[in-house]
């Protein structure tokens, strides 16, 4: 390890005084002008991680659904997964080290993780379309080369595409070809094979309106659409030709504001969807005949997908272990429908996609989606092989079902939640089942809910258990929530500290919107009183 070269190059990527950042589920995220030193140092860290795992490591430059002036970076582990928790700590330590301590921190990490410094290192890099991304990506490359690592710069990619590239490279191509062409071909082939089975009346063509959040998803979907156009016609909106990234558009906007994105014309009962800025989230929606907006979020996506997978498994007579993983934010109606109607087991984890991903890996087939539309389905290696074998060996109807299951499996980007991959899976299932978006939405009715934020002096006073559904501290808060919940029908509520700012997030649901709003407000007041609220007391929702 040439520490002299590191010190020399680090001087041109100097850390601003007093800036402290934390590596979380989304990596590092803040204003783009504060990130140059972080990018350089994540290039260094990626080299150490690559040497330790003897694998290709990915570095993605993106801030996902954040505003355009922000940026961020996250590392991708060998099987396309998020960075291991112990290395998240190293990332935080390295990013915050003062210049004179940089060498010592690198040596400490190398010793603690028993890194063989003679081992070769290979890093792949991707970036989104933000104005700051190209320059920050170069800072990553500077870090990689300062430590003698080799790299391949893919340039503009969706975040899930970079996860896919890492997974492909570390499985010697078994998962697919580590190129955008390989990605497009793999997904489109599986999609077209599936939709061939759909019985369309006449020459009815399937079409979908897609809000691309003025992000990378528009570029990649445009490159890809001719591969699958005979099965689906997509019309792109907020495609980056005008308008700012994630501004009044995108999955996060649509989900939180419960209304369509700016710049999209919607006719009644047309199927529409929105990606987020780096294309790892998707939500669907439509206007009914009366002009009312209906959101079909991650809960309903998980329900559609897991129900269809269960039907196929029943068809081929395989009793594989299938599970759906949700967070506390999942609507109670979705959990009840899955458990009581579909008889699919549901598990709850802490918020953050890494927690859902790890839980989903415990099943033969694990389906996970956050309500915000980030998710996928994971198939264990043994199940992958079994399904491919059954698709060859079974006869007639059973073989057809096994082949469909194989195509669904190939369609999913199992390395990460992927808006493009999820969109094709959803479109294929709707076509195969002959469902309209309204019929899909009508599988169950969401309980009315409300999310609020309460400003507090220190969010750390709130600690939780039971996948964040129960508050442990401060004393008396959970008892107060329990008493409030008893006042309303079909109700529940929970609070959790934000991962990024000194606020406490409040969620409440009940049998009517008025009750959900009232419960959320009352819980907010309890948080304000018992958890050190600051500023103005929470006001009623409306």
């Amino acid at each position: 390890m040439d520490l002299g070269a590191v010190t020399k190059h680090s001087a041109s990527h100097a850390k601003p005084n007093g800036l402290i950042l934390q590596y979380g589920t989304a990596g590092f995220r803040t204003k783009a002008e504060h990130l140059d030193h972080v990018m350089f140092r994540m290039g260094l860290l990626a080299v150490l991680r690559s040497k330790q795992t003897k694998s290709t490591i990915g570095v993605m430059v993106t801030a996902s659904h954040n505003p355009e002036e922000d940026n961020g970076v996250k590392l991708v582990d060998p099987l396309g997964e998020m960075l291991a928790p112990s290395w998240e700590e190293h990332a935080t330590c390295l990013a915050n080290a003062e210049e004179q301590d940089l060498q010592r921190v690198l040596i400490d990490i190398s010793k603690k993780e028993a890194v063989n410094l003679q081992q070769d290192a290979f890093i792949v890099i991707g970036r989104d379309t933000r104005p700051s991304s190209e320059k920050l990506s170069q800072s990553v490359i500077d870090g990689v080369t300062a430590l003698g690592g080799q790299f391949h710069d893919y340039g503009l990619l969706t975040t899930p595409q970079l996860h896919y590239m890492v997974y492909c490279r570390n499985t010697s191509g078994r998962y697919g070809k580590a190129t955008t062409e390989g990605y497009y071909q793999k997904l489109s082939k599986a999609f077209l094979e599936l939709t061939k089975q759909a019985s369309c009346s006449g020459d009815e063509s399937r079409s979908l309106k897609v809000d691309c959040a003025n992000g990378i998803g528009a570029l990649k979907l445009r490159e890809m659409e001719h591969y699958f156009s005979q099965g689906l016609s997509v019309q792109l909106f907020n495609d980056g030709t005008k308008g700012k990234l994630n501004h009044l558009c995108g999955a996060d906007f649509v989900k939180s504001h419960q209304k369509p994105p700016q710049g999209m014309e919607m006719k009644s009962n047309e199927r529409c969807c929105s990606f987020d800025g780096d294309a790892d989230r998707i939500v669907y929606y439509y206007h009914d005949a009366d002009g009312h907006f209906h959101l079909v979020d991650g809960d309903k996506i998980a329900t559609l997908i897991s129900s269809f997978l269960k039907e196929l498994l029943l068809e081929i007579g395989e009793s594989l272990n299938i599970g759906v993983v949700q967070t506390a934010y999942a609507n109670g109606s979705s959990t009840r429908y899955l458990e009581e109607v579909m008889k699919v087991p549901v598990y709850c984890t802490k918020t953050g996609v890494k927690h859902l991903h790890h839980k989903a890996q415990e099943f033969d087939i694990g389906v996970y989606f956050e309500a915000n539309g980030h998710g996928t389905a994971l198939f264990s290696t043994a199940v992958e092989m079994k399904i491919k074998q059954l698709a060859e060996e079974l006869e007639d109807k059973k073989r057809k079902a096994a082949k469909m299951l194989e195509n669904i499996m190939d369609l999913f980007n199992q390395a990460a939640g992927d808006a493009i991959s999820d969109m094709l899976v959803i479109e294929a299932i709707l076509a195969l089942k002959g469902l309209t978006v309204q019929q899909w939405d009508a599988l169950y009715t969401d309980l009315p809910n409300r999310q609020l934020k309460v400003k507090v002096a220190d969010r750390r006073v709130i600690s939780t258990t039971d996948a964040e559904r129960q508050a442990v501290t401060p004393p008396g808060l959970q008892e107060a929530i329990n008493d409030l919940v008893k006042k309303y029908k079909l109700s529940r509520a929970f609070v959790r500290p934000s991962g990024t700012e000194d606020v406490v997030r409040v969620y409440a649901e009940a049998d009517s919107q008025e009750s959900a709003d009232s419960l959320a407000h009352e819980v907010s007041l309890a948080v304000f009183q018992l958890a050190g609220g600051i500023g103005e007391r929470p006001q009623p929702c409306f």
Side-chain angles (χ1 to χ4, degrees):
M1 185 156 63
D2 185 352
L3 293 174
V6 170
T7 304
K8 180 183 162 196
H9 285 94
S10 183
S12 56
H13 300 282
K15 174 183 175 290
N17 285 332
L19 181 66
I20 302 291
L21 296 171
Q22 178 82 31
Y23 193 104
T25 300
F28 290 111
R29 278 192 202 166
T30 188
K31 292 281 179 279
E33 63 262 28
H34 300 320
L35 281 167
D36 179 51
H37 75 291
V38 173
M39 297 293 175
F40 174 76
R41 293 173 183 200
M42 290 308 100
L44 301 175
L45 191 71
V47 170
L48 294 184
R49 182 66 171 154
S50 177
K51 286 174 183 288
Q52 189 224 23
T53 57
K54 300 179 181 167
S55 306
T56 297
I57 295 294
V59 181
M60 184 69 200
V61 177
T62 183
S64 188
H65 54 276
N66 280 36
E68 186 173 271
E69 50 275 11
D70 289 0
N71 217 318
V73 60
K74 49 187 166 188
L75 272 62
V76 179
D77 256 0
L79 293 181
E81 297 171 301
M82 275 165 281
L83 189 61
S86 62
W87 283 76
E88 287 186 10
E89 292 174 27
H90 298 327
T92 298
C93 191
L94 191 60
N96 295 323
E98 297 305 329
E99 205 66 37
Q100 65 271 20
D101 298 327
L102 190 59
Q103 288 191 14
R104 178 186 56 76
V105 172
L106 286 169
I107 291 167
D108 286 350
I109 295 169
S110 302
K111 284 180 178 171
K112 190 170 184 182
E113 298 292 347
V115 176
N116 175 5
L117 297 172
Q118 306 312 309
Q119 176 70 36
D120 290 340
F122 195 83
I123 313 300
V124 292
I125 301 156
R127 66 176 192 271
D128 70 13
T129 53
R130 291 164 198 273
S132 59
S133 288
E134 189 169 3
K135 184 171 180 292
L136 291 174
S137 186
Q138 185 56 52
S139 300
V140 173
I141 292 169
D142 289 352
V144 171
T145 53
L147 264 187
Q150 301 295 306
F151 70 92
H152 177 78
D153 182 8
Y154 279 102
L156 292 166
L157 284 183
T158 69
T159 296
Q161 283 178 332
L162 184 75
H163 284 258
Y164 167 90
M165 301 306 170
V166 173
Y167 197 4
C168 289
R169 283 175 177 269
N170 288 317
T171 50
S172 306
R174 181 182 62 80
Y175 185 67
K177 288 183 192 163
T179 61
T180 48
E181 182 90 1
Y183 170 92
Y184 297 150
Q185 286 177 342
K186 181 184 178 187
L187 268 59
S188 300
K189 178 171 178 276
F191 174 74
L192 292 173
E193 282 193 15
L194 260 177
T195 48
K196 271 194 313 205
Q197 312 291 332
S199 51
C200 277
S201 51
D203 60 353
E204 176 195 345
S205 65
R206 296 188 63 79
S207 61
L208 175 68
K209 289 185 168 178
V210 186
D211 157 35
C212 297
N214 290 315
I216 184 70
L219 276 178
K220 296 303 168 182
L221 205 48
R222 188 146 280 146
E223 287 176 7
M224 187 179 180
E225 62 181 318
H226 73 272
Y227 287 87
F228 60 73
S229 55
Q230 63 196 89
L232 176 68
S233 163
V234 291
Q235 193 178 353
L236 308 190
F237 294 84
N238 299 316
D239 64 356
T241 51
K242 58 181 187 291
K244 284 178 73 173
L245 178 71
N246 295 323
H247 181 60
L248 303 177
C249 59
D252 194 57
F253 173 84
V254 172
K255 170 70 178 160
S256 53
H257 290 83
Q258 303 274 313
K259 65 180 185 183
Q262 204 172 70
M264 182 187 275
E265 289 292 315
M266 287 173 65
K267 296 179 186 151
S268 66
N269 297 326
E270 272 187 327
R271 233 171 31 264
C272 305
C273 71
S274 285
F275 295 176
D276 66 337
D278 66 338
D280 67 358
R281 293 183 184 185
I282 185 170
V283 293
Y284 271 70
Y285 44 92
Y286 65 98
H287 272 146
D288 64 22
D290 297 324
H292 295 131
F293 177 79
H294 294 259
L295 177 70
V296 186
D297 66 6
D299 294 339
K300 284 210 163 127
I301 293 172
T303 302
L304 179 76
I305 290 167
S306 56
S307 302
F308 187 68
L309 289 172
K310 185 167 184 195
E311 286 171 24
L312 291 178
L313 289 172
L314 286 171
E315 189 83 51
I316 62 177
E318 284 292 325
S319 57
L320 294 173
N321 177 15
I322 184 168
V324 174
V325 188
Q326 297 182 327
T327 71
Y329 286 107
N331 196 278
S333 290
S334 73
T335 311
R336 271 191 289 277
Y337 178 83
L338 282 164
E339 290 183 331
E340 295 170 15
V341 180
M342 293 310 303
K343 308 295 183 194
V344 174
V346 178
Y347 301 85
C348 189
T349 71
K350 287 169 67 175
T351 306
V353 75
K354 65 181 176 187
H355 301 297
L356 291 106
H357 192 92
H358 288 147
K359 185 67 181 176
Q361 287 175 314
E362 295 177 15
F363 306 99
D364 292 334
I365 302 174
V367 179
Y368 73 81
F369 273 86
E370 292 186 289
N372 62 29
H374 191 159
T376 190
L378 303 178
F379 296 76
S380 73
T381 307
V383 165
E384 274 189 66
M385 292 166 67
K386 174 111 182 178
I387 290 170
K388 288 183 185 293
Q389 184 185 351
L390 290 171
E392 297 301 320
E393 292 176 358
L394 290 173
E395 293 178 10
D396 304 333
K397 198 175 175 186
K398 282 189 174 183
R399 183 177 181 180
K400 183 180 170 186
K403 194 69 188 163
M404 286 164 72
L405 197 53
E406 181 184 19
N407 288 328
I408 289 271
M409 185 174 70
D410 287 342
L411 249 183
F412 274 113
N413 184 347
Q414 293 187 63
D418 183 341
I420 294 175
S421 155
D422 291 341
M423 176 191 81
L424 293 175
V425 171
I426 291 162
E427 290 299 314
I429 294 173
L430 293 177
L432 287 161
K433 292 181 70 66
L435 287 175
T436 63
V437 67
Q438 305 93 306
Q439 289 168 325
W440 172 23
D441 186 31
L443 288 176
Y444 62 82
T445 303
D446 276 332
L447 283 168
N449 57 85
R450 177 66 62 196
Q451 293 185 41
L452 298 174
K453 293 194 288 192
V454 182
K455 281 190 176 178
V456 292
D458 181 1
R459 66 183 185 273
R460 289 171 299 184
V461 301
I462 300 259
S463 62
T464 63
T465 187
D466 187 24
E468 301 177 311
R469 292 177 289 190
Q470 297 282 316
V472 178
T473 59
L477 178 58
Q478 188 58 50
E479 289 76 10
I481 294 170
N482 293 344
D483 289 342
L484 292 169
V485 165
K486 286 175 191 166
K487 293 165 55 180
Y488 301 92
K489 291 179 184 168
L490 295 177
S491 63
R492 70 184 180 96
F494 68 90
V495 301
R496 56 180 285 270
S498 163
T500 52
E501 52 186 325
D502 275 322
V503 299
V504 175
R505 301 192 184 280
V506 172
Y507 177 90
E509 65 185 26
D511 65 333
S512 70
Q513 192 61 58
E514 186 183 4
S515 292
D517 290 347
S518 179
L519 176 57
H521 172 59
E522 289 185 293
V523 171
S524 295
L525 285 173
V527 170
F528 191 85
Q529 287 157 6
L530 296 170
I534 56 172
E536 192 183 356
R537 285 167 61 82
Q539 299 299 305
C541 299
F542 294 107

